[in-house]
Amino acid sequence: MSISMLQPRLSSPVPSPPIFSFSRISVRRTIWCCASHFQVAVVNGPVDDGRFSERNVIRVGLPSKGRMASDTLDLLKDCQLSVKQVNPRQYVAQIPQLSNVEVWFQRPKDIVRKLSSGDLDLGIVGLDTVSEYGQGNKDLILVHDALEYGDCHLSIAIPKYGIFENINSLKELGEMPQWTDKKPLRVATGFTYLGPKFMKENGIKHVTFSTADGALEAAPAMGIADAILDLVSSGTTLRENNLKEIEGGVVLESQAVLVASRKSLIQREGALNTTHEILERLEAHLRAIGQFTVTANMRGRSAEEVAERVLSQPSLSGLQGPTVSPVFCKHDGGVEVDYYAIVICVPKKALYKSVQQLRAIGGSGVLISPLTYIFDEETPRWRELLTKLGL
């Protein structure tokens, strides 16, 4: 919020009424104060006046509270990007591994708004938050669209009882004769952008949206709304409140994403390189989750013969094939190759099956260790990002 003090106006003894000007991302109010005779302009939300902030430091916005906040910090720590916060009450922190970077802890919706205004350059939030508060802003770019936590979906839910007992799809809900211009379907939600947009795209008429304080799940039982549009993870809360999801009623599948300001990536010095490093670390760690390195020794006449035996088993192909290396042993005063060491990458779900297959083809001395990172060729997401930026 910014407040500007204008020149006193003494010629008007009676204060003028408030003047409101609404836009998609800001609300400006001009208020006359008769006691002090000065004008105060109050701005709610970011106002993009076309200027680009000429600062050198790169700002990354992270959620300040809740499960999303703790999971985000855990992910960054696993990527060797630990956030160092001197005082837990401070909103600014650093990532020592990234020079010239500031971390700003903010509410998720404020992260999106400040990315839109240029006050932040990068941020990690849920896709639902980006979609609701970004409202199609083309300056917002998804750098990584699947950080694999914060999974949920935005969905319409209706009561299981009464007139909705036999309603099981969005189409059936929209065709109910009860809804008219004078008595529309009432939907309680905090998603006042995505909700109307979804209904319009699906041809649902006679519907109105409202916000409700407290738990939305109570709105139908209290008679405040006929249906709700809210985030759902396990669905337990809906069931406990006698609500049900309906076919075709999922507005958005969501999880944590890395989002950036297009303008910052193009214009701010160092922003694109920092984004590249963060993306590479994220990708390498996420690829390694649930993967194990399996090493075993195997007798054979040659590396090719051992490789052929390994590749005959469906669970032993690894990422691109096995690594086969000679194992040198002392024999009769000399050095000979009696064994070959094989190294493969195996997903957790196929681990035991892989060990069994190794034994079946003569493997022994099997060693298993979890993987932390898998750096492959340049990540496709980086190439996609450069394409979006026209670089």
Side-chain angles (χ1 to χ4, degrees), residues 306-321:
V306 170
E308 186 175 344
R309 266 191 285 160
V310 172
L311 290 172
S312 68
Q313 304 299 313
S315 297
L316 304 181
S317 58
L319 292 175
Q320 296 163 327

Side-chain angles (χ1 to χ4, degrees), residues 75-131:
L75 173 64
L76 292 175
K77 182 178 180 180
D78 290 340
C79 296
Q80 301 300 308
L81 294 174
S82 295
V83 177
K84 300 300 182 184
Q85 191 176 14
V86 177
N87 185 333
R89 294 181 179 273
Q90 290 180 336
Y91 289 97
V92 186
Q94 285 78 40
I95 299 178
Q97 289 79 7
L98 299 176
S99 60
N100 208 33
V101 167
E102 286 180 349
V103 171
W104 286 75
F105 292 102
Q106 301 283 296
R107 294 184 302 175
K109 63 182 180 181
D110 290 335
I111 291 175
V112 176
R113 288 168 174 166
K114 289 175 181 177
L115 282 167
S116 299
S117 67
D119 294 314
L120 292 175
D121 305 308
L122 291 164
I124 294 180
V125 289
L127 180 60
D128 58 289
T129 306
V130 176
S131 302

Side-chain angles (χ1 to χ4, degrees), residues 67-333:
R67 180 67 180 272
M68 180 71 80
S70 59
D71 286 351
T72 299
L73 293 178
D74 287 343
L75 173 64
L76 292 175
K77 182 178 180 180
D78 290 340
C79 296
Q80 301 300 308
L81 294 174
S82 295
V83 177
K84 300 300 182 184
Q85 191 176 14
V86 177
N87 185 333
R89 294 181 179 273
Q90 290 180 336
Y91 289 97
V92 186
Q94 285 78 40
I95 299 178
Q97 289 79 7
L98 299 176
S99 60
N100 208 33
V101 167
E102 286 180 349
V103 171
W104 286 75
F105 292 102
Q106 301 283 296
R107 294 184 302 175
K109 63 182 180 181
D110 290 335
I111 291 175
V112 176
R113 288 168 174 166
K114 289 175 181 177
L115 282 167
S116 299
S117 67
D119 294 314
L120 292 175
D121 305 308
L122 291 164
I124 294 180
V125 289
L127 180 60
D128 58 289
T129 306
V130 176
S131 302
E132 172 67 20
Y133 295 97
Q135 299 187 3
N137 187 340
K138 293 183 179 179
D139 189 58
L140 297 178
I141 293 183
L142 288 182
V143 179
H144 198 301
D145 59 355
L147 296 181
E148 299 186 10
Y149 66 95
D151 297 76
C152 59
H153 59 275
L154 181 61
S155 181
I156 294 173
I158 60 176
K160 297 179 180 179
Y161 48 85
I163 61 174
F164 301 102
E165 184 175 1
N166 297 317
I167 302 300
N168 297 299
S169 71
L170 182 66
K171 184 175 183 295
E172 292 173 349
L173 179 64
E175 292 176 349
M176 292 178 68
Q178 284 88 345
W179 319 131
T180 64
D181 285 335
K182 294 184 178 180
K183 188 181 178 182
L185 171 70
R186 299 169 302 160
V187 181
T189 186
F191 292 84
T192 54
Y193 170 76
L194 290 176
K197 181 174 180 289
F198 177 77
M199 289 297 196
K200 182 178 180 180
E201 290 173 348
N202 283 274
I204 307 297
K205 300 178 181 179
H206 310 309
V207 58
T208 183
F209 288 84
S210 64
T211 57
D213 295 329
L216 289 179
E217 291 83 4
M222 296 179 67
I224 299 173
D226 303 301
I228 68 170
L229 174 63
D230 202 8
L231 293 174
V232 180
S233 50
S234 66
T236 301
T237 305
L238 292 181
R239 292 190 293 271
E240 290 178 347
N241 286 275
N242 290 317
L243 299 176
K244 62 182 178 181
E245 295 183 78
I246 54 178
E247 180 184 349
V250 175
V251 177
L252 179 74
E253 296 285 348
S254 180
Q255 62 178 297
V257 299
L258 175 64
V259 63
S261 161
R262 178 192 300 270
K263 188 180 296 183
S264 292
L265 294 183
I266 294 175
Q267 299 184 24
R268 188 157 335 274
E269 183 179 355
L272 192 58
N273 289 336
T274 297
T275 301
H276 187 198
E277 180 173 349
I278 293 174
L279 181 59
E280 285 243 276
R281 288 174 178 263
L282 289 171
E283 285 279 81
H285 173 66
L286 293 173
R287 287 197 68 190
I289 292 177
Q291 299 284 340
F292 290 81
T293 298
V294 178
T295 305
N297 290 334
M298 189 177 300
R299 287 185 180 273
R301 293 185 297 273
S302 66
E304 290 76 10
E305 186 266 333
V306 170
E308 186 175 344
R309 266 191 285 160
V310 172
L311 290 172
S312 68
Q313 304 299 313
S315 297
L316 304 181
S317 58
L319 292 175
Q320 296 163 327
T323 298
V324 181
S325 308
V327 177
F328 296 94
C329 305
K330 288 184 177 181
H331 186 71
D332 294 334

Side-chain angles (χ1 to χ4, degrees), residues 292 294 296 298 309-310 312-318 342 344-363 366 368:
F292 290 81
V294 178
M298 189 177 300
R309 266 191 285 160
V310 172
S312 68
Q313 304 299 313
S315 297
L316 304 181
S317 58
I342 65 167
I344 56 174
C345 182
V346 175
K348 183 177 182 180
K349 61 183 180 181
L351 187 58
Y352 184 66
K353 185 176 181 180
S354 299
V355 172
Q356 289 179 310
Q357 291 179 357
L358 276 172
R359 288 171 174 168
I361 59 175
V366 181
I368 298 172

